[in-house]
Amino acid sequence: MKKTCLSVCLMLISALAFSQWTWQNPLPQGQTLNSIYFLNSTTGYAVGEAGVIIKTNNAGNSWTVFSNVTNLNLYSVFFTDTNTGYAVGYYGIILKTSNAGNTWTTLSSGTNNSLNSVYFTDVNTGYVVGFNGTILKTTDAGITWLSLSSGTPEGLKSVYFTDANTGFAAGLFGTILKTNNAGISWTLLSSGITNDLKSVYFTDTNTGYAVGGTNYTGIRLKTNDAGNTWTVLSNETTNGKSSIYFTDTNTGFAVGFYGTIIKTSNAGSTWTALASGITNDLNSVYFTDANTGYAVGVNGTIIKTSNAGNTWTTLSSGNTTFLTSVYFTNANEGYAVGSDGTILKKNNTGNSWTALASGIINDLNSVYFTDANTGYAVGWNGTIIKTSNAGTTWTVLSSGTTTYLFSICFTDNNTGYAVGLGGTIIKTTNAGITWTALLSGTLNDLFSVYFLNNNIGYTVGLSGKILKTNNAGANWTSLPSGTTDDLWSVYFTDSITGYAVGDGGIRKTNNAGNIWTAIESSGPFRSVYFTNTNTGYAVGWYGKILKTNNAGNTWITSLSGTSLNLSSVYFTDANTGYVVGNYGAILNTTNGGEIDIKEIKISESQINLYPNPANDKITILINGKLSKKTQISIFNIHGEQIMDNNFHNQDIIELNVSNLTKGIYLVKIQTDNMVQTKELIMK
């Protein structure tokens, strides 16, 4: 049998790994949407932050979320036919789909500059513009991209072509460029302004519009002579505009900050403010006919009009206040709390979350239930509220303090603890009727409290402070955490093994808190939770979710599908978990946050990969009929392909994988008659 040794090469391609965290609030998802495009009256796409791509096939009534095609922000989307589309964004990313959005391939753009707008003049010819005056062109449907000379260093935000040769680009500081020769050369036009321009649109070869501005200062321009001169339009509203779209030569719409929508029916001579019904910033607008239009924006906002903008209906749904803590009383019933007294409840059936009346407006930071009906939440100004009927009503308790409380924990139905600013620790022994202040021995703010049993408890906080009690809070001892970074959450899996997470990463103790060791340096983290002695999760800023299967020895990234800050994690069993965070984010997994490995027409005995885990080399043994051609590809957990090679007439292949860092990878093996994807662990 012939052996072949390979070195690993780096390249990008479409993802095989998909996020196993799905959105439960807001819906269809909560990432900011930057661009929307419709193919026809029913089929449309929108793209946004953290690489989110959503699609509707029924005029916006429901949306499919494609997450983790990339984790880079996407700023613009464009389709050339029902199957073929492109999305562009941060750090030079260009994505392409050839199957109506089901899968996306990363194209080589040749630039690291952020790309803000994409436009195609036919199925093969397209243009992309971005920061630092970047203009790219393709004539082969995205296979290759040529960098064009824009003649400006300014960032370009929008591109639009009126025919195969004539195009315009608009951007920062009033920049407007024009080409008459399909991008070969570009001329800087005089806009007469220095305001940033964010969108350009033409209704015919001569008549065009550009909009922009800042939060409180909007700008609208018009040209009647193919861009040679531009006029500032009057009747301007105060808020800046992000996108403009015309349904005919006279009728146009512009959207922008704070839910602003304006309309003209006379080719821009006058504009009327429309009631959008929202205050979220709107980033993009698109109409499928004279009456039907859509706009998208911050926090996953999607709105629709069916009467030419007279009224708008919100298609997205859910609470978007900041959520800080989540707790479940059983497999189906859970609670999340957050800013402005927000309490959400997941009911026994379905995946919906309902807002409960807390009766307060103070921020809530932590929620804890002692049984199916009895629960507590703590927060601002010493707030403690209690429910005895599964959240139907809440009663304000007297905490005896006005200190900001961050965390609450109960050891039985009657005995509970809450911690907060300035080393505050309070205790109740009568189910919250009265609370007594305990001496913590510190003035450091305390952010999390956890009890192993009726007597042994821990609390962590500011500047790496860790306290422990062995006598139900009567005395607290300061432990050496080994860090001065703030610690935000603490969790123990048994009497000696515990974890604390915070701004500096993850720390672990194997001796009941006497010594703490750094085991993961990334961060910041806000919450840690273990489902058993080996399997745990840490969540934090920028959508970070890490998972360990070996008691913290190694941590792998679980694909969250969001870039929002995450505050709390809770699992109801080994596979089912929930994470909450900023702007109402609630994510759910039903498979422990593992990546989805697709396998097609395979038998486990046909292909073997060893050793696994591996250090530097792996061997792939293909049993059965010798294949004329075998393709081996390796992907990281973000779906990025980092190796792709072909072999001929070989049934054993040895690969050098010493360049791979520790973590989980996917190895795709495709022969003449089968495809198999196997998981590879690098240690």
Side-chain angles (χ1 to χ4, degrees):
M1 291 183 292
K2 182 179 178 181
K3 293 185 178 181
T4 303
C5 295
L6 300 175
S7 62
V8 177
C9 62
L10 182 66
M11 55 190 301
L12 297 176
I13 201 162
S14 58
L16 288 181
F18 295 88
S19 169
Q20 288 306 289
W21 293 88
T22 58
W23 286 89
Q24 289 196 343
N25 186 80
L27 293 175
Q29 60 85 48
Q31 290 294 141
T32 290
L33 296 172
N34 295 317
S35 177
I36 188 167
Y37 188 98
F38 268 76
L39 283 161
N40 50 47
S41 61
T42 58
T43 305
Y45 298 81
V47 301
E49 308 297 294
V52 67
I53 302 173
I54 63 174
K55 176 183 179 180
T56 180
N57 285 315
N58 54 13
N61 293 324
S62 61
W63 297 80
T64 300
V65 179
F66 303 98
S67 58
N68 288 296
V69 176
T70 176
N71 60 359
L72 300 177
N73 295 342
L74 299 175
Y75 299 128
S76 180
V77 60
F78 192 99
F79 272 71
T80 57
D81 57 43
T82 55
N83 289 310
T84 309
Y86 302 82
V88 303
Y90 184 71
Y91 208 67
I93 189 167
I94 303 178
L95 300 176
K96 178 181 179 179
T97 180
S98 300
N99 56 9
N102 292 322
T103 59
W104 294 78
T105 299
T106 302
L107 306 178
S108 176
S109 70
T111 182
N112 291 330
N113 290 326
S114 289
L115 303 175
N116 299 318
S117 181
V118 56
Y119 192 98
F120 273 71
T121 56
D122 59 47
V123 294
N124 291 309
T125 308
Y127 300 83
V128 174
V129 301
F131 283 146
N132 297 320
T134 298
I135 303 180
L136 307 178
K137 178 181 179 180
T138 182
T139 56
D140 53 14
I143 296 174
T144 58
W145 293 85
L146 175 67
S147 179
L148 306 178
S149 176
S150 67
T152 180
E154 306 300 346
L156 301 174
K157 304 290 285 187
S158 179
V159 60
Y160 191 98
F161 273 70
T162 57
D163 58 43
N165 291 308
T166 308
F168 300 82
L172 303 185
F173 304 111
T175 299
I176 301 179
L177 305 178
K178 179 180 179 180
T179 180
N180 287 312
N181 52 14
I184 295 174
S185 61
W186 294 79
T187 302
L188 179 64
L189 305 177
S190 175
S191 68
I193 64 166
T194 58
N195 303 72
D196 293 347
L197 295 173
K198 299 179 180 179
S199 180
V200 61
Y201 192 100
F202 274 70
T203 56
D204 57 43
T205 56
N206 291 308
T207 310
Y209 303 81
V211 298
T214 60
N215 293 36
Y216 301 107
T217 305
I219 191 71
R220 284 177 287 113
L221 303 179
K222 179 179 179 179
T223 180
N224 288 311
D225 56 7
N228 292 323
T229 58
W230 293 82
T231 302
V232 177
L233 299 176
S234 59
N235 192 33
E236 177 58 66
T237 57
T238 56
N239 298 331
K241 311 301 178 299
S242 301
S243 178
I244 188 168
Y245 192 98
F246 274 72
T247 57
D248 58 44
T249 55
N250 289 309
T251 309
F253 301 81
V255 302
F257 290 96
Y258 311 114
T260 297
I261 304 178
I262 58 175
K263 176 181 178 179
T264 182
S265 299
N266 53 15
S269 296
T270 59
W271 294 78
T272 303
L274 305 178
S276 67
I278 62 170
T279 58
N280 286 346
D281 297 347
L282 295 172
N283 297 324
S284 180
V285 60
Y286 195 100
F287 274 72
T288 58
D289 57 45
N291 290 308
T292 309
Y294 303 80
V296 298
V298 171
N299 300 340
T301 297
I302 308 171
I303 59 175
K304 176 182 179 179
T305 181
S306 299
N307 54 12
N310 293 327
T311 58
W312 293 80
T313 302
T314 301
L315 302 181
S316 50
S317 64
N319 188 290
T320 56
T321 55
F322 284 30
L323 298 177
T324 53
S325 179
V326 60
Y327 192 97
F328 272 71
T329 57
N330 56 53
N332 296 308
E333 197 163 279
Y335 302 81
V337 301
S339 59
D340 304 320
T342 297
I343 303 178
L344 304 180
K345 179 179 180 180
K346 181 185 178 294
N347 296 316
N348 284 323
T349 57
N351 294 319
S352 61
W353 291 75
T354 304
L356 304 178
S358 67
I360 63 170
I361 59 173
N362 289 344
D363 294 346
L364 297 172
N365 297 317
S366 179
V367 60
Y368 193 99
F369 273 70
T370 56
D371 58 43
N373 292 308
T374 309
Y376 303 81
V378 300
W380 183 259
N381 287 339
T383 296
I384 303 180
I385 58 175
K386 176 181 179 179
T387 181
S388 299
N389 52 14
T392 303
T393 58
W394 295 80
T395 303
V396 177
L397 304 179
S398 177
S399 67
T401 182
T402 58
T403 297
Y404 200 118
L405 299 174
F406 283 102
S407 180
I408 187 169
C409 174
F410 274 72
T411 57
D412 57 43
N413 288 339
N414 292 307
T415 308
Y417 302 82
V419 300
L421 293 183
T424 297
I425 304 177
I426 58 176
K427 176 180 180 180
T428 181
T429 56
N430 53 14
I433 296 174
T434 59
W435 294 80
T436 303
L438 305 179
L439 294 176
S440 67
T442 183
L443 294 177
N444 289 39
D445 301 339
L446 300 174
F447 301 135
S448 177
V449 59
Y450 184 94
F451 270 74
L452 278 164
N453 51 45
N454 289 338
N455 291 308
I456 301 175
Y458 298 82
T459 181
V460 300
L462 190 70
S463 301
K465 178 61 68 177
I466 301 179
L467 304 178
K468 178 181 180 180
T469 181
N470 289 309
N471 54 11
N475 303 104
W476 294 84
T477 302
S478 181
L479 303 177
S481 67
T483 182
T484 57
D485 293 315
D486 295 347
L487 298 172
W488 287 91
S489 181
V490 60
Y491 194 99
F492 273 72
T493 56
D494 56 42
S495 61
I496 61 172
T497 309
Y499 303 82
V501 303
D503 292 348
I506 305 173
R507 308 188 75 78
K508 178 181 180 180
T509 180
N510 287 312
N511 56 9
N514 293 320
I515 299 174
W516 293 80
T517 304
I519 58 174
E520 169 64 38
S521 60
S522 66
F525 295 102
R526 287 298 180 264
S527 180
V528 60
Y529 191 98
F530 274 71
T531 57
N532 56 47
T533 56
N534 289 311
T535 306
Y537 302 81
V539 305
W541 275 192
Y542 317 116
K544 183 184 290 291
I545 302 179
L546 294 190
K547 178 180 181 180
T548 181
N549 288 310
N550 54 15
N553 291 326
T554 58
W555 295 80
I556 59 175
T557 300
S558 183
L559 304 179
S560 69
T562 183
S563 60
L564 297 176
N565 294 343
L566 303 175
S567 302
S568 181
V569 56
Y570 193 98
F571 272 72
T572 59
D573 58 43
N575 293 311
T576 308
Y578 300 83
V579 172
V580 303
N582 286 7
Y583 301 109
I586 303 178
L587 308 176
N588 167 241
T589 182
T590 56
N591 76 338
E594 296 289 345
I595 51 182
D596 180 21
I597 303 172
K598 292 189 173 183
E599 299 187 359
I600 309 170
K601 297 187 300 182
I602 61 166
S603 167
E604 279 297 326
S605 62
Q606 288 181 284
I607 296 178
N608 294 316
L609 184 156
Y610 58 90
N612 195 5
N615 284 315
D616 53 3
K617 292 182 180 180
I618 59 172
T619 299
I620 297 172
L621 177 62
I622 303 171
N623 299 314
K625 183 179 178 181
L626 190 66
S627 177
K628 292 182 179 179
K629 177 182 176 182
T630 301
Q631 182 180 16
I632 307 293
S633 305
I634 296 182
F635 299 80
N636 64 22
I637 60 173
H638 298 296
E640 298 169 337
Q641 182 177 312
I642 55 177
M643 191 203 78
D644 184 38
N645 279 270
N646 295 318
F647 306 90
H648 300 275
N649 301 315
Q650 299 169 54
D651 54 7
I652 184 169
I653 301 167
E654 186 176 282
L655 287 82
N656 180 356
V657 292
S658 59
N659 290 339
L660 299 183
T661 58
K662 68 179 181 179
I664 291 182
Y665 296 82
L666 301 179
V667 181
K668 179 185 176 186
I669 306 106
Q670 183 168 354
T671 69
D672 296 337
N673 57 3
M674 66 179 176
V675 178
Q676 182 172 350
T677 306
K678 302 184 76 68
E679 180 180 291
L680 169 65
I681 300 175
M682 293 296 298
K683 63 181 181 179

